[in-house]
Amino acid sequence: MAFGEFDLIETYFTHRLPQRDDVDLGIGDDGAIARVPENSELVIVTDTMVEGVHFDRETPARALGHKVVAVNLSDLAAMGAEPAWISLAITLPEINEEWLTGFAHGLREICDYYNCQLIGGDTTQGPLSVTVTAHGFVPTGKALRRSGAKPGDWIYVSGTFGDAGLALAARQHRQQLNPDYQRKLTERLYFPSPRVALGQSLRGIASSAIDVSDGLLADLRHILKASHVGARVSVDEVPLSLALTESLSEEQALAYALTSGDDYELLFTVPEAQRGLFDTVTAHSPSKPVCIGRITNEAEVVQLLHNDEPWQLPDTPYGFEHFRPLADTSAE
Ligand SMILES: [Mg+2]
């Protein structure tokens, strides 16, 4: 059942959102009309967030509005693309003005920041779920892929790992945190920062890239599978926040950092020959990329090292999967 989607979308989402020159026709017709710059390709990504699967009822509407755009921009970043347009499909159990205002606020803030225009939308009634499709540009042939890693390439990550997973565990009373850390980590869970600038700066430098949505090791395996290579990772090099290391034992901290999801950092590989250029380009990057290991020729084998010794991840029944999709399909 439709709510009269134009009224709803126009009432809550079209005011004060960025208007771009490359959009000839935005919301209001059967489709949008927009132009891709010359010598560029279009990168298209999409992500759905369903209540009870990807977020819980307590998630603030503003956080959800931010996050559903952020996770899509994170996928664009992993492709090296510059964000341009989004469309929004939203299913609501009822029309709740306060919720819609909060959701639209979160969505508008991140769209403003990245100059992303909302060019289409649809609303229906049903269990709460939001889907965003984002479109971005890359110079022709320059998109980053998962499939280009070669033995000897260096493995890098941006940001810190495990923070969102620990915030979720604390919210679900599986971990205790002091209030200050709980606030900081919840910010990371609710308001992830897609590494948009870093992704674009890696064009022509990184041999492969992915964004970490499902956990560092799980997403590393996606690169290894697509590139038919293996990896040696020094777990001591994985960047951890103070909140994580001060709240957990070393083993727990590593387990969260390596396996919990929702970090939305980038994981990528850099050939030895590009390393100097990479260091120059990222010298002042706020996401501080760190080298955590190297690609090997053993297809899909991950060797973990801790204090230079072979190391295995402990069996950790922390239940990280609570808000992950039941079955992930191709691109995530
Ligand atoms: Mg992804």
Side-chain angles (χ1 to χ4, degrees):
M1 166 185 163
F3 277 143
E5 58 258 31
F6 291 128
D7 287 351
L8 206 65
I9 294 273
E10 282 191 47
T11 304
Y12 290 96
F13 295 100
T14 54
H15 298 299
R16 293 183 290 124
L17 268 167
Q19 302 290 314
R20 294 172 55 103
D21 293 342
D22 51 18
V23 176
D24 292 332
L25 187 60
I27 291 168
D29 209 308
D30 291 306
I33 305 174
R35 278 166 284 118
V36 179
E38 237 178 283
N39 305 316
S40 290
E41 291 175 303
L42 194 60
V43 178
I44 305 143
V45 302
T46 192
D47 237 309
T48 293
M49 298 183 69
V50 177
E51 185 182 83
V53 180
H54 303 92
F55 63 94
D56 58 22
R57 187 146 296 196
E58 282 72 49
T59 304
R62 180 174 152 246
L64 193 63
H66 172 95
K67 192 162 177 175
V68 71
V69 177
V71 300
N72 277 281
L73 299 192
S74 180
D75 278 330
L76 286 182
M79 303 297 292
E82 173 196 341
W85 319 308
I86 63 164
S87 58
L88 167 72
I90 180 164
T91 304
L92 298 166
E94 65 197 341
I95 295 182
N96 174 333
E97 269 190 43
E98 193 187 338
W99 191 92
L100 272 164
T101 303
F103 180 84
H105 182 197
L107 185 128
R108 183 164 57 236
E109 284 173 319
I110 186 166
C111 284
D112 269 341
Y113 188 78
Y114 290 107
N115 190 30
C116 225
Q117 182 169 346
L118 181 70
I119 57 168
D122 185 32
T123 52
T124 41
Q125 188 169 24
L128 182 57
S129 113
V130 287
T131 299
V132 162
T133 299
H135 305 75
F137 309 139
V138 280
T140 301
K142 297 290 187 205
L144 305 172
R145 300 171 188 222
R146 299 178 180 183
S147 55
K150 295 276 186 302
D153 289 355
W154 299 94
I155 303 167
Y156 282 84
V157 292
S158 64
T160 58
F161 285 83
D163 297 332
L166 180 55
L168 183 60
R171 287 181 44 73
Q172 296 174 338
H173 308 292
R174 290 180 283 122
Q175 292 285 350
Q176 289 283 335
L177 288 179
N178 80 39
D180 188 37
Y181 288 153
Q182 172 127 19
R183 194 172 40 75
K184 280 185 181 146
L185 297 182
T186 300
E187 190 77 5
R188 289 223 52 197
L189 174 67
Y190 283 163
F191 295 95
S193 306
R195 299 303 187 183
V196 170
L198 177 63
Q200 290 172 63
S201 73
L202 296 176
R203 293 173 193 155
I205 294 178
S207 50
S208 70
I210 191 168
D211 69 315
V212 178
S213 52
D214 296 344
L216 200 161
L217 287 181
D219 285 312
L220 173 61
R221 286 198 177 93
H222 289 311
I223 284 196
L224 302 185
K225 190 171 181 200
S227 299
H228 311 293
V229 291
R232 193 165 51 243
V233 171
S234 171
V235 298
D236 310 305
E237 305 302 328
V238 174
L240 306 176
S241 67
L242 202 61
L244 196 83
T245 54
E246 297 217 328
S247 304
L248 301 172
S249 70
E250 187 189 34
E251 191 170 85
Q252 277 182 314
L254 286 174
Y256 273 94
L258 295 171
T259 65
S260 71
D262 266 3
D263 289 316
Y264 300 102
E265 295 296 344
L266 293 186
L267 185 157
F268 53 95
T269 56
V270 177
E272 174 67 24
Q274 299 289 350
R275 234 183 163 192
L277 181 56
F278 169 73
D279 284 341
T280 309
V281 164
T282 58
H284 302 292
S285 169
S287 49
K288 298 184 185 64
V290 166
C291 183
I292 61 165
R294 212 159 183 188
I295 295 294
T296 67
N297 57 15
E298 289 180 273
E300 295 185 49
V301 174
V302 180
Q303 297 168 257
L304 300 179
L305 299 176
H306 185 16
N307 298 324
D308 296 324
E309 299 283 336
W311 185 77
Q312 280 204 320
L313 194 67
D315 283 336
T316 47
Y318 297 139
F320 293 131
E321 300 302 314
H322 276 226
F323 291 111
R324 299 309 311 164
L326 298 177
D328 259 328
T329 51
S330 59
E332 59 271 332

